Amino acid sequence: MSRAESPIEVPSKILSRRDLEFLLYEWLAVEELSARPAFAEHGRETFDAVLDVSERVAREHFYPINKLLDEQEPQFDGEQVRTPAPLKEALEVFAQTGMLLAGQPEELGGMQLPYVVEKACFAYFSAASVAASGYAMLTLGNVNLLRAHASAQQIQTWVPPMLAGRFFGTMCLSEPQAGSSLADVATRADPAEDGSYRLFGNKMWISGGDHDLAENIVHLVLAKIPGEDGRLIAGVKGISLFIVPKFLLDDNGDPGERNDVAVAGLNHKMGFRGTTNCLLNFGEGACRPGGQAGAIGYLVGQPHQGLAIMFHMMNEARIGVGTGAVTLGYTGYLHALDYARNRPQGRPLGSRDPTEPPIAIVGHADVRRMLLAQKSYVEGGLALTLWCSRLVDDAGTAADPETRADAARLLDLLTPIAKSWPSQWCLAANDLAIQVMGGYGYTRDYNVEQFYRDNRLNPIHEGTHGIQALDLLGRKVRLDGGRALQLLEQRIAATIARGAGAGADSEWAAYGTALAGWGGRFRACLARLQRGENAARGLANATVFLEAFGHYVVAWQWLDQACCALAAIAAGSGVELAPGELDFYNGKLQAGRYFLRWELPRIGPMLDLLDGLDATALEMRDEWF
């Protein structure tokens, strides 16, 4: 279905369909994936049809309840967690329209869409209501982990009910005493005679940990199996992964006896309120399945491989967190843009006539600056997360083994960026959306203050900003002797050459030259940071490296998007572009200019700090605060 034939014509304040189409079809060339056997049944028509359904369901069922879920938080009465009825109705529609099956293989009844198309579809739901969509996203992450690592029997037992929307899933990692330090996980898994395990321990910050939205909840729980001496193995090497359902299944595969999993309480969050967040107790004895205390769990994969297996879901979740941050920033930008176009206030610069009618505030240069900054952040962030999603497809389905391996390397390198950059800069977009709307933006009568509160969780979600920075600088840039960095440099060099094709005196060639210069500085900086004697000082500044490197990557992608827009304008010369198309491409070019002129130079002071191996934070003492 072409855009002109799309039934959705009303301008959306959820996401820009035109931008999605540009990124998918013009920039990422997603239609080429249909040449691969895995996606041979699909093409532009089916991709557009699923996008249409996603936009409609998000607009009609998720967006209308977003504020309701913020105002009517889940309640725990000591026995049961209860949520507002419209939430369950929205998730039932989500399941009934087949969205849980969009990216699943045909043998499970799925549509077997490319991952990048699935994520573009799901972007609508997180933009419309990130709290409502969180339950579905967690469930799909649970499903994908089990498909990759569970036994055939476990997949047959647990995956179909989740894909049908009957069961929902979670991931249970953190503990009250350990937080993000998974080496200190203390939940214990004692082997039982029937091959199952009995779990005892506590898990904190469990999104979707309990609710009344599904027949059952399938928890994926990190725990340690005791050694021969009865003691837990220290560190991450002792961690295993277990399926621990809220209800055990009867002989028909339906929920039966209550497992020994109890809600100790709900965490009351600043935002993201509609997604329950729980402290769970495993094995406290409130329920005694089979007459014994201990939550019954089933080992996934091999003992002591739990953390490696869980990273399958964690990495998917990190891209999901980045996408959620983008969509919250994006919908905030569209709300602010709509307000700026319709709010009359003030008069043109230089006007001295008080009787002259006020103009819409979008006519004021500083408002346009704030809107342009938002546009550059959210469209840049969406490009980044969809590009990483396309890498997932390439890593799994490209014909050439080396292409698959290279895509996996790039994805490994950029996952911390895909999580953290949007979490920082699309939150900044939400901040600017409030500023554009002034006092109204700071009130609960308008949506943008909620978007900011919801988005503030994302720099924390799935590993804090600092943890992602340590992962990037301490591990990812070193993998395979820096092979992923070399691959990234090749991609950036190709874009720089493409920009140079616009002419040696072109501004885009100049931006490419600047980008190449920053690349040289990064190489020199990394060589210095990776020297053994500099390691501690380097890691003390890992967050600075993450922020600088993220801006460098997004600047490259803005140059690449600009080259794509220039090519589209050139291809349309001599023929009349559809109404609004030239405006769209010029908007892309202006957002690219803004990022390359205003944002890319921000990394200079950051690299200066890194080059100097600054030790200010490292040398600070507790008693000096």
Side-chain angles (χ1 to χ4, degrees):
M1 180 182 297
S2 70
R3 177 172 171 76
E5 299 167 331
S6 171
I8 300 168
E9 298 294 344
V10 179
S12 172
K13 288 192 286 186
I14 299 174
L15 281 181
S16 165
R17 177 63 174 268
R18 181 64 186 91
D19 190 29
L20 271 178
E21 291 176 346
F22 170 81
L23 293 173
L24 290 174
Y25 302 128
E26 299 178 57
W27 188 56
L28 293 172
V30 165
E31 288 174 274
E32 294 177 0
L33 293 173
S34 299
R36 297 178 184 176
F39 310 122
E41 299 299 315
H42 296 296
R44 173 74 183 262
E45 185 175 359
T46 56
F47 298 157
D48 279 347
V50 180
L51 285 166
D52 286 344
V53 171
S54 300
E55 186 171 4
R56 177 179 59 79
V57 174
R59 187 181 61 194
E60 295 177 0
H61 297 277
F62 281 62
Y63 184 75
I65 68 171
N66 191 47
K67 189 171 283 293
L68 170 75
L69 297 181
D70 186 60
E71 295 170 346
Q72 299 182 19
E73 295 183 69
Q75 299 294 316
F76 178 50
D77 60 12
E79 295 290 335
Q80 174 72 43
V81 174
R82 304 194 183 280
T83 60
L87 173 58
K88 184 172 184 179
E89 295 165 6
L91 291 170
E92 286 174 346
V93 172
F94 184 91
Q96 289 164 4
T97 52
M99 294 312 303
L100 286 166
L101 291 160
Q104 298 301 312
E106 291 177 353
E107 58 265 27
L108 289 173
M111 290 183 257
Q112 203 161 305
L113 287 170
Y115 188 82
V116 63
V117 175
E118 179 191 42
K119 293 307 151 190
C121 292
F122 287 174
Y124 274 113
F125 297 100
S126 59
S129 176
V130 71
S133 64
Y135 297 96
M137 302 310 127
L138 281 165
T139 299
L140 284 169
N142 190 307
V143 162
N144 291 336
L145 181 148
L146 292 177
R147 282 182 45 220
H149 298 285
S151 69
Q153 182 61 47
Q154 288 171 336
I155 294 171
Q156 183 180 348
T157 300
W158 302 106
V159 166
M162 284 196 277
L163 291 178
R166 293 179 53 216
F167 297 0
F168 283 177
T170 75
M171 55 193 300
C172 300
L173 289 75
S174 297
E175 297 181 2
Q177 83 293 342
S180 298
S181 180
L182 297 180
D184 296 317
V185 161
T187 299
R188 180 185 184 97
D190 290 329
E193 293 182 359
D194 63 359
S196 66
Y197 291 78
R198 292 276 179 161
L199 275 70
F200 301 86
N202 315 101
K203 294 291 179 179
M204 177 58 98
W205 312 116
I206 308 307
S207 296
D210 199 74
H211 49 72
D212 54 359
L213 302 169
E215 299 172 35
N216 205 352
I217 302 174
V218 182
H219 301 292
L220 291 177
V221 184
L222 291 183
K224 292 183 177 180
I225 302 169
E228 292 182 0
D229 60 359
R231 300 171 64 181
L232 301 182
I233 300 171
V236 298
K237 293 181 180 178
I239 295 176
S240 299
L241 180 65
F242 301 88
I243 298 168
V244 185
K246 178 178 178 179
F247 293 97
L248 302 174
L249 303 184
D250 63 20
D251 293 340
N252 297 318
D254 296 320
E257 185 179 11
R258 177 70 184 262
N259 204 357
D260 195 358
V261 183
V263 181
L266 294 177
N267 297 304
H268 302 286
K269 299 173 293 180
M270 171 182 170
F272 235 106
R273 294 175 177 175
T275 302
T276 60
N277 192 273
C278 306
L279 169 60
L280 297 180
N281 292 343
F282 294 83
E284 71 171 17
C287 299
R288 299 175 66 86
Q292 300 178 42
I296 293 177
Y298 311 101
L299 180 68
V300 178
Q302 297 300 311
H304 314 311
Q305 297 299 311
L307 189 57
I309 294 172
M310 182 58 93
F311 262 106
H312 187 287
M313 187 172 181
M314 290 165 67
N315 284 333
E316 182 175 337
R318 286 198 282 177
I319 296 175
V321 166
T323 303
V326 167
T327 58
L328 283 165
Y330 212 129
T331 190
Y333 157 63
L334 293 176
H335 279 75
L337 176 61
D338 179 71
Y339 181 89
R341 285 171 167 168
N342 291 285
R343 166 66 172 174
Q345 183 176 309
R347 289 166 181 81
L349 191 66
S351 172
R352 303 287 184 181
D353 183 0
T355 66
E356 185 178 356
I359 62 171
I361 62 172
V362 74
H364 300 305
D366 195 59
V367 172
R368 291 199 298 273
R369 174 191 64 81
M370 291 187 285
L371 291 169
L372 189 54
Q374 291 173 69
K375 180 179 174 70
S376 78
Y377 300 155
V378 302
E379 292 185 11
L382 187 59
L384 172 66
T385 55
L386 288 179
W387 189 75
C388 288
S389 298
R390 171 64 195 262
L391 287 176
V392 174
D393 287 315
D394 289 341
T397 65
D400 176 50
E402 188 60 25
T403 301
R404 292 198 298 272
D406 284 348
R409 291 184 181 104
L410 279 167
L411 186 62
D412 248 359
L413 174 68
L414 292 177
T415 294
I417 302 294
K419 188 273 178 190
S420 286
W421 193 91
S423 298
Q424 180 177 4
W425 291 99
C426 294
L427 178 65
N430 289 131
D431 182 82
L432 286 169
I434 293 172
Q435 189 71 16
V436 165
M437 295 176 66
Y440 289 112
Y442 196 63
T443 68
R444 290 192 297 274
D445 300 296
Y446 289 81
N447 293 334
V448 291
E449 65 85 30
Q450 181 189 343
F451 298 148
Y452 182 91
R453 286 187 291 103
D454 286 346
N455 215 353
R456 186 58 188 84
L457 180 58
N458 287 316
I460 301 169
H461 246 169
E462 298 308 320
T464 62
H465 207 52
I467 287 173
Q468 304 301 326
L470 291 172
D471 182 38
L472 177 65
L473 184 57
R475 292 184 61 250
K476 296 300 177 62
V477 297
R478 302 171 185 265
L479 292 177
D480 291 338
R483 171 65 177 157
L485 272 174
Q486 295 170 9
L487 292 167
L488 181 64
E489 288 172 351
Q490 291 169 12
R491 301 281 184 115
I492 294 173
T495 297
I496 291 171
R498 193 177 176 195
D505 58 348
S506 161
E507 64 177 308
W508 305 102
Y511 296 142
T513 300
L515 198 61
W518 291 120
R521 282 204 62 183
F522 269 109
R523 284 191 294 275
C525 179
L526 265 176
R528 187 176 297 107
L529 294 175
Q530 290 176 343
R531 291 181 195 141
E533 69 274 15
N534 297 335
R537 287 192 176 205
L539 291 177
N541 291 285
T543 299
V544 179
F545 181 83
L546 174 77
E547 293 181 7
F549 195 68
H551 252 46
Y552 173 62
V553 169
V554 174
W556 154 56
Q557 295 195 337
W558 263 120
L559 180 58
D560 210 54
Q561 287 191 71
C563 289
C564 190
L566 287 168
I569 293 172
S573 62
V575 296
E576 186 175 350
L577 290 173
E581 284 294 277
L582 187 59
D583 288 337
F584 172 80
Y585 290 124
N586 281 329
K588 274 289 174 191
L589 294 176
Q590 199 71 356
R593 285 187 186 97
Y594 176 87
F595 199 90
L596 290 159
R597 289 178 181 176
W598 290 57
E599 293 295 332
L600 182 58
R602 288 178 183 265
I603 71 177
M606 299 182 200
L607 288 173
D608 290 343
L609 280 171
L610 291 166
D611 286 342
L613 294 168
D614 184 76
T616 304
L618 186 65
E619 293 171 352
M620 181 63 180
R621 298 179 185 175
D622 183 6
E623 57 269 24
W624 294 351
F625 284 106

